C-alpha cells in the first residue's frame, strides 16, 4: 500500500514489505500491549472523522467488497458466452486466477482468517505471484534506504518530545537502533502496533504453503524496488509526518484498529477512505502523503500491470499483494476490469 494518513500506511498496513526490511537487520519483539494507555488522547481530543468512499466515476466498481477475487481472462469469458455457461473449461481456455489482498499484522481472529481457509483458497492455483520474496533481506547495499547516517540521528530530525514518545511506544527497540531508523521505518512499526514480524505474516505463510505444494513462485519486484518506493520521499519530509503523528499517537492506534475491522469485514473501500482522510496531518503533511501515494501505490501498480496481464493470460495464478493495491481508481481490480477481465468476489 497511497493517499494515506501516513505514507507508509497504504502499503505498510497492507503488506509486510517494510517490516520485513526492518526485521532483516533488527529483531523485533511483539509488544502490542504497549499501546494500552500509552499516548492516549487528552479528554478534549476528537476522534478521527472518517469519510465515506468517494462516488465511483469510471463505470467500474473501484472498491467491491471482499479480499479474495476470482479473475477470469477475456478469452475464457468469450468461450463461456459462446457455450452458454460460465464454467466452461477446455484445453484452449485458461483456468481462472485469484487475487488476494494481504495485511501484515493482526491475529487470524482479528482478520477473520485461518490457516485452513488460506490453504483452501490457494488449492486451485498452479503458481503464486507476490510482491517480493518475504524472506528478510540483509544486503548491506540496501541499508541506504533504511538507516540514517550516524551523524544525523532521528532525534535531530524530530522534536525531543516526539522522540521521547517514540521511545515510550516502541520500548522493544534499543535507543541506538531507534536513532538510526529512517522515519518511515518508525511509522511502519507504530502502525503495526509494534507487532513481531516472522513466519506468521500472511505473505510468508502463503509462500510457505505454495512451496510445500510445489507451486511456481513469481515475484513482481526486487527488495530494492520496494525499499526505493518506501524511501522515495526525502528524509526531512518523512520526519515532518512522523513528528505530527507522534504528537497525537492515538490517531495512529485508532487507524490501525479500524484497518483490522475493515479487513475483517472485507470492506477495503472503507479502509481506503480512512487512509485518504489523512486525519491529524496539516496541509504540508498531506502534500507529502500524496507524493508518497504515487510512489507506493500508483507507480508500482502501473509497473506491475504488464507482467500481471501476461501471467493472468495463462490462468491458474494466485496473486497476493497488499490489500490497498486492489481498490480505488488506480487499483488493480479496476485495471484488470478495464483490460477485459471478469472480477468476482469470493468468500474467504
Amino acid at each position: 500500500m497511497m493517499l494515506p494518513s501516513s505514507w507508509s500506511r497504504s502499503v505498510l498496513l497492507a503488506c509486510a514489505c517494510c517490516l520485513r526490511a526492518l526485521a532483516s537487520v533488527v529483531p523485533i519483539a511483539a509488544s502490542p500491549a504497549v499501546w494500552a494507555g500509552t499516548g492516549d488522547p487528552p479528554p478534549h481530543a476528537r476522534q478521527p472523522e472518517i469519510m465515506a468512499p468517494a462516488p465511483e466515476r469510471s463505470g467500474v466498481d473501484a472498491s467491491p467488497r471482499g479480499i479474495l477475487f476470482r479473475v477470469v481472462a477475456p478469452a475464457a469469458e468469450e468461450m463461456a458466452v459462446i457455450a452458454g455457461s460460465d464454467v466452461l473449461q477446455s484445453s484452449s481456455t485458461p483456468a481462472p486466477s485469484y487475487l488476494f489482498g494481504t495485511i501484515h499484522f493482526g491475529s487470524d481472529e482479528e482478520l477473520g482468517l485461518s490457516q485452513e481457509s488460506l490453504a483452501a483458497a490457494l488449492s486451485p492455483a498452479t503458481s503464486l505471484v507476490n510482491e517480493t520474496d518475504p524472506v528478510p533481506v540483509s544486503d548491506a547495499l540496501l541499508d541506504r534506504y533504511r538507516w540514517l547516517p550516524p551523524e544525523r540521528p532521528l532525534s535531530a530530525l524530530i522534536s525531543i518530545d516526539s522522540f521521547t514518545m517514540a521511545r515510550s511506544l516502541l520500548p522493544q527497540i534499543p535507543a541506538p537502533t531507534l536513532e538510526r531508523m529512517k522515519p518511515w521505518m518508525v511509522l511502519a512499526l507504530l502502525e503495526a502496533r509494534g507487532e513481531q514480524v516472522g513466519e506468521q505474516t500472511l505473505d510468508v505463510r502463503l509462500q510457505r504453503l505454495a512451496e510445500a505444494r510445489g507451486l511456481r513462485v513469481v515475484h513482481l519486484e526486487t527488495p530494492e524496488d520496494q525499499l526505493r518506493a518506501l524511501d522515495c520521499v526525502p528524509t526531512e519530509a518523512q520526519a515532518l509526518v512522523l513528528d505530527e503523528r507522534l504528537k497525537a499517537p492515538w490517531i495512529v492506534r485508532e487507524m490501525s484498529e479500524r484497518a483490522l475491522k475493515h479487513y475483517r469485514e472485507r470492506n477495503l473501500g472503507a479502509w481506503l477512505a480512512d487512509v485518504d482522510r489523512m486525519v491529524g496531518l496539516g496541509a504540508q503533511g498531506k502534500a507529502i502523503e500524496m507524493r508518497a501515494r504515487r510512489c507506493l501505490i500508483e507507480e508500482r501498480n502501473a509497473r506491475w500491470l504488464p507482467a500481471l496481464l501476461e501471467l493472468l493470460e495463462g490462468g491458474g495464478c494466485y496473486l497476493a499483494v497488499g490489500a490497498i493495491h486492489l481498490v480505488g481508481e488506480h487499483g488493480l481490480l479496476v485495471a484488470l476490469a478495464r483490460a477485459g477481465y471478469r472480477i468476482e468476489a469470493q468468500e474467504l
Side-chain angles (χ1 to χ4, degrees), residues 38-47 248-251 253:
T38 304
D40 285 336
H44 63 278
R46 298 176 63 190
Q47 293 302 305
W250 59 88
I251 293 178
R253 181 175 61 194

Side-chain angles (χ1 to χ4, degrees), residues 187-263:
L187 270 166
L189 282 173
L190 294 174
E191 292 170 339
R193 306 184 302 184
E195 291 187 12
Q196 183 173 355
V197 174
E199 290 293 314
Q200 293 309 304
T201 61
L202 287 182
D203 303 77
V204 174
R205 288 159 64 187
L206 284 169
Q207 183 154 319
R208 296 288 181 261
L209 282 169
E211 291 170 345
R213 296 182 179 192
L215 273 61
R216 179 177 65 139
V217 177
V218 179
H219 307 307
L220 294 171
E221 60 188 7
T222 67
E224 184 171 13
D225 291 332
Q226 282 196 339
L227 286 168
R228 186 184 298 112
L230 288 162
D231 193 41
C232 79
V233 174
T235 297
E236 294 80 2
Q238 298 176 24
L240 184 149
V241 175
L242 177 60
D243 204 34
E244 290 193 358
R245 285 282 169 238
L246 288 169
K247 290 175 181 176
W250 59 88
I251 293 178
V252 179
R253 181 175 61 194
E254 167 74 5
M255 295 295 284
S256 297
E257 294 306 316
R258 290 183 65 86
L260 292 173
K261 177 178 180 291
H262 294 319
Y263 191 88

Side-chain angles (χ1 to χ4, degrees), residues 13-14 66-69 99-122 200-206 209 259-266 268 271 318 320-321 323 346-348:
L13 285 185
I67 58 172
L68 178 67
F69 299 88
L99 181 55
F100 174 53
T102 65
I103 184 172
H104 79 270
F105 76 110
S107 66
D108 279 352
E109 182 178 4
E110 288 176 302
L111 302 179
L113 294 174
S114 68
Q115 187 75 2
E116 292 73 23
S117 64
L118 289 175
L122 189 63
Q200 293 309 304
T201 61
L202 287 182
D203 303 77
V204 174
R205 288 159 64 187
L206 284 169
L209 282 169
L260 292 173
K261 177 178 180 291
H262 294 319
Y263 191 88
R264 184 171 59 252
E265 294 175 351
R266 311 309 191 225
L268 301 185
W271 181 8
Y318 192 96
V321 298
Q346 305 290 295
E347 294 290 333
L348 181 59

Side-chain angles (χ1 to χ4, degrees), residues 12 14 18 31 62 69 72 108 114 144 174 201 206 249 274 281 291:
L12 305 184
C18 122
S31 60
F69 299 88
V72 180
D108 279 352
S114 68
R144 66 185 183 277
T201 61
L206 284 169
D274 277 5
L281 294 181
R291 169 55 187 150

Side-chain angles (χ1 to χ4, degrees), residues 20-222:
R20 286 200 306 272
L22 178 58
S24 68
V25 285
V26 57
I28 305 300
S31 60
V34 70
W35 285 98
T38 304
D40 285 336
H44 63 278
R46 298 176 63 190
Q47 293 302 305
E49 297 177 359
I50 306 303
M51 299 174 65
E56 175 57 40
R57 299 175 182 174
S58 68
V60 178
D61 187 354
S63 300
R65 287 288 188 112
I67 58 172
L68 178 67
F69 299 88
R70 184 171 181 261
V71 181
V72 180
E77 179 77 356
E78 292 169 7
M79 290 296 293
V81 170
I82 293 171
S85 169
D86 63 0
V87 295
L88 176 70
Q89 288 294 319
S90 73
S91 59
S92 61
T93 59
S97 294
Y98 293 86
L99 181 55
F100 174 53
T102 65
I103 184 172
H104 79 270
F105 76 110
S107 66
D108 279 352
E109 182 178 4
E110 288 176 302
L111 302 179
L113 294 174
S114 68
Q115 187 75 2
E116 292 73 23
S117 64
L118 289 175
L122 189 63
S123 60
T126 57
S127 61
L128 171 70
V129 182
N130 58 15
E131 295 182 29
T132 194
D133 193 337
V135 175
V137 178
S138 58
D139 189 341
L141 295 176
L142 303 181
D143 284 350
R144 66 185 183 277
Y145 301 112
R146 300 183 282 218
W147 301 112
L148 296 167
E151 68 276 8
R152 196 185 187 197
L154 182 65
S155 60
L157 297 173
I158 60 177
S159 71
I160 295 299
D161 288 345
S162 292
F163 186 75
T164 300
M165 178 61 73
R167 290 198 62 187
S168 69
L169 293 172
L170 300 170
Q172 74 276 31
I173 305 295
T177 302
L178 187 64
E179 285 278 31
R180 290 294 311 281
M181 287 183 181
K182 285 198 171 182
W184 69 261
M185 296 180 73
V186 180
L187 270 166
L189 282 173
L190 294 174
E191 292 170 339
R193 306 184 302 184
E195 291 187 12
Q196 183 173 355
V197 174
E199 290 293 314
Q200 293 309 304
T201 61
L202 287 182
D203 303 77
V204 174
R205 288 159 64 187
L206 284 169
Q207 183 154 319
R208 296 288 181 261
L209 282 169
E211 291 170 345
R213 296 182 179 192
L215 273 61
R216 179 177 65 139
V217 177
V218 179
H219 307 307
L220 294 171
E221 60 188 7
T222 67

